[in-house]
Amino acid sequence: MRTPPSPPGAERTAGSAVRIGALAPLTRPGWVEAGHHLLAGLELAVGEVNDTGGIDGRPLDLVVRDTAADPERAAAAVDELAHLGVAALVGEYHSVVARAAASRADALGLPYLCSSAVLDALTEQPTPWVARLSPPQSRGWRSYADFLLDAGHRGIAVAAQPSVYWATGTRILRDHLAAHGGTVVELDASALTPTAVCDALAEDGATALLLLAGHPEPAVSIVRSVRRDPRLADLLIGAPAGQPELASWAAELGDDGAAIPFLRYLPERFGPLGARVETALRERLAAAPSFVAFEGYDTIAVLAEVLRSHGADRARIAEAWPRVAVEGTRGTIRFSRTPGIGVWQWAGPPVQVVDRDPARPDRFRVLHSG
């Protein structure tokens, strides 16, 4: 493993803080609510580490940068944070943004523990510097396709916007469904009005529509149009990327936002640690914490253990990824090499398909686990 020289100002004295760079979408066009949940989990865990003595007496200092869902801005932030002497990089929600951050972290020799992005190809080539907590997109979206098949859906339409992330998801769905006699029809959510989407669905005869599009728009307008179209009364609306998880979805759509299955990465039941963290996150957020908040907490739990056992040297942190065994809120976290994925990957995060209960939209129903 190459070990780059320490940047100017990176020397640390005994008792000085261990600085950790954190990336999150905190302004538009990023998914701001997801960014705040991610940051809440990161900050909660950092506070707990510091309340129990820090890292051998040294506090953790989280240095946060807003990516605003912009890959170039994220890459520039990685450069800045590396120059500031952070021991490691954490965070990010948007997959395309995380890919830019991972590529830059790899080039700089900066350890990066990706919290919440799922794009399989997080780096172009295998790298020792990057590890990831969230499951790869291929695993989660195949599980979602299994849910559709189990529910009897073979004709699927996707309303998709141009994006590597959405295009990759469409390919995963098409390949998995085709192996079981299913088909996928693509509708351009950027070119078609919500009414035109409804017309195309009525003509095609699909039994399910998946929203591979941005939130709030055009996703919210498409949902409203479909719900009000009597031709589509029996159509299932799905959102595998997780838009319905966050409170803003329910606030914007009300009852129309229920019964829309999505992916989340939580266990069916929390153990003692998860239950305690859930309570603390709920108080911090003044709302039910999403899976993204737990990913943030688990990120710091892993990194703190690595720092305690291997120190704050960047090369030693990266060398520790395959030796990790940390109890997180959603299970024991260990990293391994997964075929086709170039980063150290936690193979065990839980995957669920859930929706908001039409009878109580503030409550979630687990529909499928994989």
Side-chain angles (χ1 to χ4, degrees):
M1 180 185 299
R2 62 190 185 282
T3 305
S6 296
E11 297 80 7
R12 302 180 181 89
T13 58
S16 65
V18 180
R19 307 186 84 184
I20 304 300
L23 302 177
L26 301 175
T27 56
R28 296 288 185 189
W31 196 349
V32 174
E33 194 172 358
H36 286 310
H37 278 238
L38 175 60
L39 189 58
L42 293 170
E43 290 178 337
L44 174 64
V46 165
E48 291 184 359
V49 170
N50 290 340
D51 287 345
T52 54
I55 307 300
D56 296 329
R58 301 168 62 187
L60 285 181
D61 180 17
L62 202 63
V63 185
V64 180
R65 292 294 181 268
D66 172 23
T67 66
D70 184 338
E72 292 184 4
R73 183 166 172 171
V78 175
D79 285 342
E80 178 198 1
L81 292 165
H83 184 77
L84 289 174
V86 299
L89 184 71
V90 299
E92 193 46 46
Y93 173 80
H94 295 287
S95 284
V96 176
V97 179
R99 185 175 63 171
S103 176
R104 194 67 192 135
D106 177 52
L108 295 172
L110 178 62
Y112 174 30
L113 181 49
C114 180
S115 302
S116 196
V118 300
L119 199 64
D120 283 36
L122 202 58
T123 56
E124 293 294 330
Q125 302 294 333
T127 172
W129 295 99
V130 182
R132 174 167 56 186
L133 283 175
S134 46
Q137 189 178 12
S138 56
R139 180 185 166 210
W141 287 50
R142 281 198 298 263
S143 182
Y144 195 93
D146 286 336
F147 156 73
L148 292 172
L149 291 166
D150 289 347
H153 297 285
R154 295 295 187 276
I156 312 299
V158 299
Q161 291 180 295
S163 160
V164 171
Y165 175 66
W166 300 126
T168 302
T170 300
R171 186 183 70 247
I172 293 166
L173 291 167
R174 177 179 285 112
D175 291 349
H176 196 71
L177 290 165
H180 298 82
T183 59
V184 174
V185 172
E186 294 185 56
L187 305 176
D188 188 342
S190 295
L192 296 174
T193 66
T195 299
V197 168
C198 290
D199 291 341
L201 290 167
E203 182 177 344
D204 177 73
T207 62
L209 168 68
L210 307 186
L211 300 169
L212 310 192
H215 171 263
E217 292 301 333
V220 167
S221 293
I222 293 173
V223 170
R224 287 187 178 131
S225 293
V226 170
R227 293 296 199 212
R228 284 155 179 72
D229 193 322
R231 299 172 298 174
L232 306 175
D234 296 326
L235 183 78
L236 172 76
I237 306 175
Q243 298 97 317
E245 166 122 15
L246 298 174
S248 58
W249 177 271
E252 289 155 353
L253 282 164
D255 292 346
D256 285 345
I260 297 180
F262 62 92
L263 283 166
R264 72 173 182 183
Y265 310 120
L266 292 178
E268 191 162 350
R269 294 181 182 83
F270 283 117
L273 174 62
R276 178 182 67 76
V277 170
E278 181 183 31
T279 299
L281 286 169
R282 188 180 293 271
E283 292 175 356
R284 179 177 288 260
L285 291 162
S290 70
F291 69 86
V292 182
F294 291 94
E295 289 174 326
Y297 183 94
D298 286 344
T299 300
I300 297 300
V302 168
L303 188 57
E305 182 58 33
V306 169
L307 290 166
R308 292 187 186 106
S309 59
H310 290 77
D313 177 78
R314 291 174 178 174
R316 292 192 66 194
I317 291 171
E319 290 167 357
W321 296 140
R323 300 181 179 90
V324 163
V326 174
E327 191 62 30
T329 60
R330 299 163 300 138
T332 302
I333 299 168
R334 294 183 175 90
F335 298 115
S336 59
R337 289 298 191 184
T338 302
I341 294 173
V343 303
W344 289 103
Q345 176 70 52
W346 181 26
V351 174
Q352 297 177 330
V353 178
V354 303
D355 71 356
R356 290 182 175 271
D357 188 341
R360 281 188 51 188
D362 62 331
R363 182 174 60 189
F364 296 106
R365 305 181 298 184
V366 177
L367 308 175
H368 179 86
S369 297

